[in-house]
Amino acid sequence: MTLDPSRYECPEHHIDLTDLVEETLAGDGPPVAYFHLRKPTAARPFQVIVTCPGANGAGAHQLTCTGTRTQ
């Protein structure tokens, strides 16, 4: 999977959240019945909510990440 942008970071804590975004998207595959109708190389927009763990005692919080992905 290729993401655009290629890196996601919490703007408040400067923690790399890219792995969390990829993990969330990995479970979001196309419906099996319609898989053959999709172009596997077409970029698809996405929006996912991930949890930033916080830094230096700051509490965890949710962050919405958007972009496009190519399979």
Side-chain angles (χ1 to χ4, degrees):
M1 161 184 352
T2 304
L3 301 179
D4 183 22
S6 61
R7 187 171 189 276
Y8 292 85
E9 180 179 290
C10 174
E12 186 177 338
H13 300 113
H14 306 288
I15 295 173
D16 186 358
L17 302 173
T18 307
D19 288 342
L20 293 173
V21 171
E22 290 176 344
E23 182 180 307
T24 303
L25 289 170
D28 182 33
V32 175
Y34 300 105
F35 183 72
H36 67 284
L37 298 176
R38 295 195 115 143
K39 293 181 179 180
T41 58
R44 297 187 321 170
F46 69 85
Q47 178 175 329
V48 296
I49 298 172
V50 297
T51 302
C52 172
N56 300 326
H61 64 98
Q62 292 187 327
L63 187 69
T64 301
C65 298
T66 60
T68 60
R69 72 174 176 174
T70 305
Q71 294 278 346

